Amino acid sequence: DPVLRLSGIAKTYNPGRPNAVQVLRDADLEVARGEVVALVAPSGAGKSTLLHIAGLLDVADAGEVAIGGEVMGRKSDRRRTVVRRQMVGFVYQFHHLLPEFTALENVVLPQLANGASASEAEARARGLLDSVGLADRAAHRPAAMSGGEQQRVAFCRAMANTPQLLLADEPTGNLDPATSDRVFDALVRLVRDTGLSAVIATHNLDLAARMDRRVRLTEGRLVAF
Ligand code: ADP
Ligand code: ADP
């Protein structure tokens, strides 16, 4: 089974109202195990909506979402939450790290919430931070780190509970171009090292070119290019 399968996904905001917006019409996507797919679209095209539906944070009006072969459409909210926590990691344009906690703690806490022991959580968090070059930043709070460092911590947090699918929404969109380039490489390396599947939204075609496959979101559909 593919790690993610979207078929015929449709989504309209404010349906039946004068301000209705049909964002997705008939979006199909399959992501195989270990595959890294670039999702390219201009701002406002519906990338965030698509990623939220794929990650079970939002529900489509029509179509089917399957994660790891499990069709999620008619599953309970409780089951959707379990699958999301176990299978999906999210990264956003802004890091959303907890400001009062250190980098290490930000990567440890989701694991404790998921039932890991303190010692396994810490060992895994240190390994992840080390793999993105942040071993010496483990005890820093977010405010004491650069934008690129904060974002790399956010990648580690997304990986903390060993997801199978990473969904990233403009993960380096708020960084300057040179930093964005390096931080993006760190993300792709982390994904490849862990054998994870990923959908990474970006409007940067040079970054998209480094991924296995590219799809463009246009008029509510996904088209390979
Ligand atoms: P992108 O991530 O590509 O910028 P979004 O998925 O955030 O696009 O939004 C796609 C379109 O849907 C935009 O026109 C946006 O204004 C609209 N939209 C997004 N969320 C809502 C919402 N909750 N209610 C109404 N319209 C929304
Ligand atoms: P990155 O490429 O990871 O964003 P930078 O080149 O921006 O890193 O920053 C280099 C170093 O300067 C970082 O390792 C960080 O420790 C330090 N630094 C950058 N910005 C800040 C900041 N706002 N507060 C404290 N230290 C910072």
Side-chain angles (χ1 to χ4, degrees):
D1 284 322
V3 171
L4 172 67
R5 184 165 47 76
L6 302 177
S7 24
I9 298 293
K11 179 76 178 180
T12 299
Y13 289 110
N14 307 316
R17 307 240 301 270
N19 58 347
V21 201
Q22 182 164 24
V23 179
L24 302 173
R25 285 164 204 278
D26 187 11
D28 298 320
L29 180 66
E30 273 197 19
V31 183
R33 206 158 292 279
E35 202 177 26
V36 181
V37 178
L39 171 61
V40 178
S43 144
K47 282 182 309 247
S48 306
T49 302
L50 186 82
L51 292 174
H52 282 160
I53 290 171
L56 309 179
L57 289 168
D58 197 356
V59 186
D61 302 331
E64 201 170 86
V65 179
I67 297 195
E70 181 174 349
V71 176
M72 300 308 306
R74 288 175 198 80
K75 296 295 165 75
S76 63
D77 286 351
R78 189 192 156 96
R79 180 64 192 155
R80 291 167 60 86
T81 301
V82 167
V83 171
R84 183 173 66 240
R85 288 206 182 126
Q86 291 180 349
M87 301 282 285
V88 186
F90 290 96
V91 178
Y92 298 96
Q93 185 168 355
F94 298 99
H95 58 77
H96 301 301
L97 297 172
L98 299 170
E100 67 274 34
F101 292 100
T102 64
L104 184 76
E105 289 163 343
N106 267 281
V107 185
V108 161
L109 288 169
Q111 300 179 71
L112 299 183
N114 201 39
S117 74
S119 62
E120 39 181 30
E122 179 171 338
R124 178 161 174 80
R126 288 197 187 279
L128 285 165
L129 291 169
D130 190 27
S131 72
V132 296
L134 292 181
D136 61 346
R137 294 287 182 273
H140 288 52
R141 292 210 170 89
M145 289 186 277
S146 71
E149 291 175 329
Q150 291 166 347
Q151 212 48 7
R152 282 182 277 154
V153 177
F155 301 162
C156 295
R157 181 192 49 191
M159 309 285 190
N161 287 322
T162 58
Q164 298 197 26
L165 174 66
L166 181 79
L167 301 174
D169 195 350
E170 302 273 2
T172 62
N174 70 330
L175 303 174
D176 65 81
T179 305
S180 167
D181 233 56
R182 285 187 296 111
V183 170
F184 198 88
D185 280 342
L187 176 62
V188 172
R189 210 176 316 118
L190 189 58
V191 167
R192 301 239 186 254
D193 286 352
T194 49
L196 209 66
S197 308
V199 180
I200 305 181
T202 178
H203 51 241
N204 182 325
L205 292 176
D206 293 330
L207 298 181
R210 297 181 204 172
M211 294 182 236
D212 297 326
R213 204 148 61 73
R214 282 145 292 285
V215 294
R216 191 185 298 283
L217 179 54
T218 174
E219 295 178 348
R221 292 181 179 81
L222 290 169
V223 182
F225 74 101

